[in-house]
Amino acid sequence: MPASRNKRRIFIIVISVFLIAGAAYLFFGDQIFSNDGFSAANQETYASFYKCVENQTVEKVKISEDKIEYWLKGSDVKYVTQNPESPSLKETLLKNNVQVESSKSSSQIISFISDMIFYIFIAAILIIAFRKVFSPTAFKVQHKTGKKFSDVVGMDSLKSDMKQIMNIMHNPKEWARKGIRMPKGILLEGAPGNGKTLFAKALAGEANVNFIPTKATDFESMFMAIGPMKVKSLFRKARRHAPCIIFIDEFDGIGTRRNYAGSAIETENTRIVTALLNELDGFEPASGVLVLAATNSIHALDEALIRPGRFDARFTVPYPNKENIKQLVKMYTKGKSFTPECTVEKIADLFSGYSCAKIESVLNRASLIAIQKNKSSADMQDISEAIKEQESAK
């Protein structure tokens, strides 16, 4: 049995014991703690007791929840009377030089136990919340991405540029002796759906290094200052698993220009950007960690982040060209049924200026439209209908 499951069971057992104990005190507290001990021979009225107090003949008093025990001066005999729960009784006794001793009532004990259960419950919620925030799976290390450059259509120039970086990642000390360091960060800019995430996975797979995928929303939290702590946690994990690529998708969601006089959300974003800057500046040339960030708008990013020495290289991930579109059509029509008129060239002519994701979506929708029409194969008309749906959804 996993250790985490054992800890969870122990925690449930402890909470259950406290709850049962609290219930026992709540329902049976009076029986457990009440002990009348009233002896008929020593039973006195409250009026008689109070008169003795006024006459200053009482030496010591013990006050319980439902009774008062008292001893007269020069006597070892214990007398018992009822407790009227008068708020001024203790003050009166002290004014008459009486030694006063109070015992905790069952209600006080029940209150104490209830408070303890409440504090334990709150502590458990906080522990669970923080464990959720800093869960070991929050930034999961992928040792194998399952992707290679062969899975990425086009981007030949970008693939070529990355080969030397991969070499430096595997031999950072050797390159450091030549006075060459690996870039600390690389920015991939381009329209959504053109394969920035796929390329990042393929790069890690091709380089055979560890890969930590993240996105801007992973750094958001209901608690202030948690975002910067997550940044530090992410980079610590990356250093432990070097050589490693940190991939931050939707980078413009957390790397925007800092606003020191903004709202609480903008203040938290400023702290996250500052934490990123500190981590990037703390990189050693031979750390073996590369930050790969994807953004749809490089102009929205904080200037301090994208200056040389932090994100050293910038690459644009373009829309696929005509040849790339043909390769994508072949890839996305594989396993689907299309009529003979739907040649790769004809389909490709319809997708000029389309992103990779949009091409895949249109061809998938065309196949669904054909099935709705009870046709065995999709035709050019189905593809045209799918395109119109895409355009009208804008």
Side-chain angles (χ1 to χ4, degrees):
M1 184 181 294
S4 59
R5 192 173 297 177
N6 281 331
K7 290 179 181 178
R8 196 176 304 152
R9 285 193 173 184
I10 292 171
F11 175 76
I12 293 172
I13 291 171
V14 170
I15 292 295
S16 300
V17 168
F18 272 102
L19 290 174
I20 292 170
Y25 281 120
L26 184 63
F27 291 105
F28 306 108
D30 293 338
Q31 301 177 23
I32 295 171
F33 291 99
S34 64
N35 181 17
D36 291 344
F38 285 12
S39 172
N42 299 328
Q43 178 81 37
E44 295 289 344
T45 63
Y46 183 77
S48 175
F49 160 71
Y50 199 81
K51 188 174 182 181
C52 290
V53 172
E54 289 181 328
N55 293 333
Q56 296 190 350
T57 58
V58 177
E59 181 178 13
K60 184 174 70 171
V61 167
K62 183 177 181 181
I63 303 174
S64 302
E65 183 180 17
D66 58 347
K67 65 184 178 181
I68 297 174
E69 300 171 337
Y70 65 97
W71 290 260
L72 301 177
K73 292 179 180 179
S75 174
D76 293 332
V77 179
K78 179 174 71 174
Y79 297 91
V80 181
T81 189
Q82 292 181 336
N83 184 1
E85 299 182 359
S86 170
S88 61
L89 175 60
K90 190 172 183 179
E91 182 183 3
T92 302
L93 293 172
L94 293 173
K95 285 181 178 179
N96 286 277
N97 299 317
V98 178
Q99 300 176 26
V100 180
E101 180 183 341
S102 299
S103 61
K104 288 186 178 180
S105 65
S106 59
S107 60
Q108 289 176 311
I109 296 174
I110 293 170
S111 177
F112 173 76
I113 293 173
S114 299
D115 289 344
M116 287 298 296
I117 292 173
F118 173 76
Y119 292 138
I120 290 172
F121 180 71
I122 293 299
I125 290 176
L126 291 174
I127 290 170
I128 291 171
F130 276 97
R131 286 192 66 183
K132 187 73 175 176
V133 169
F134 293 106
S135 169
T137 59
F139 298 116
K140 190 173 181 181
V141 179
Q142 295 182 10
H143 302 292
K144 300 286 183 182
T145 63
K147 300 295 181 182
K148 297 284 187 179
F149 279 162
S150 56
D151 298 306
V152 180
V153 173
M155 304 189 200
D156 296 328
S157 176
L158 186 55
K159 292 175 185 176
S160 177
D161 289 330
M162 289 297 176
K163 287 181 180 179
Q164 189 175 43
I165 292 175
M166 289 189 292
N167 194 341
I168 299 174
M169 282 194 72
H170 283 289
N171 306 285
K173 293 181 180 179
E174 180 182 333
W175 285 87
R177 284 194 293 269
K178 299 176 182 178
I180 299 173
R181 65 169 177 81
M182 185 181 71
K184 293 180 180 179
I186 294 175
L187 277 174
L188 298 179
E189 183 187 19
N194 274 337
K196 294 186 292 294
T197 302
L198 176 62
F199 181 82
K201 291 181 178 180
L203 175 62
E206 196 75 27
N208 193 27
V209 297
N210 293 318
F211 183 70
I212 304 180
T214 69
K215 53 187 179 298
T217 52
D218 291 336
F219 299 93
E220 296 175 355
S221 174
M222 62 183 291
F223 302 106
M224 291 294 289
I226 294 297
M229 293 173 68
K230 286 185 174 183
V231 171
K232 294 177 182 178
S233 174
L234 169 63
F235 279 81
R236 278 198 301 268
K237 180 173 282 190
R239 289 186 182 99
R240 288 199 305 269
H241 293 85
C244 180
I245 292 176
I246 298 173
F247 176 64
I248 306 176
D249 201 5
E250 304 163 2
F251 191 51
D252 44 290
I254 59 169
T256 51
R257 290 185 177 90
R258 286 169 288 180
N259 183 359
Y260 295 97
S263 63
I265 295 175
E266 289 173 322
T267 301
E268 179 71 355
N269 181 76
T270 295
R271 290 173 178 164
I272 291 173
V273 172
T274 303
L276 279 168
L277 293 172
N278 291 336
E279 292 298 329
L280 287 169
D281 288 341
F283 270 14
E284 296 177 2
S287 64
V289 176
L290 174 68
V291 182
L292 195 62
T295 178
N296 301 329
S297 176
I298 200 169
H299 303 292
L301 298 176
D302 191 275
E303 292 179 0
L305 270 176
I306 56 178
R307 73 159 175 80
R310 285 167 180 160
F311 282 89
D312 301 275
R314 306 178 196 176
F315 297 98
T316 300
V317 179
Y319 282 99
N321 58 28
K322 186 65 178 287
E323 282 304 312
N324 295 152
I325 290 174
K326 289 181 181 179
Q327 294 179 53
L328 289 168
V329 169
K330 289 178 183 177
M331 179 188 298
Y332 295 141
T333 54
K334 190 175 181 180
K336 296 181 176 67
S337 181
F338 285 86
T339 59
E341 66 168 335
C342 297
T343 62
V344 171
E345 287 74 14
K346 281 186 179 181
I347 297 175
D349 288 338
L350 299 174
F351 291 143
S352 178
Y354 274 41
S355 68
C356 305
K358 194 171 181 180
I359 294 171
E360 189 277 334
S361 180
V362 167
L363 292 174
N364 188 67
R365 180 58 186 158
S367 296
L368 289 174
I369 291 173
I371 291 172
Q372 291 170 2
K373 294 178 179 177
N374 295 318
K375 296 192 296 185
S376 59
S377 301
D379 54 25
M380 293 298 292
Q381 184 181 353
D382 298 325
I383 297 175
S384 296
E385 286 185 33
I387 291 173
K388 288 179 182 178
E389 287 185 11
Q390 282 277 359
E391 295 300 326
S392 62
K394 285 184 179 179

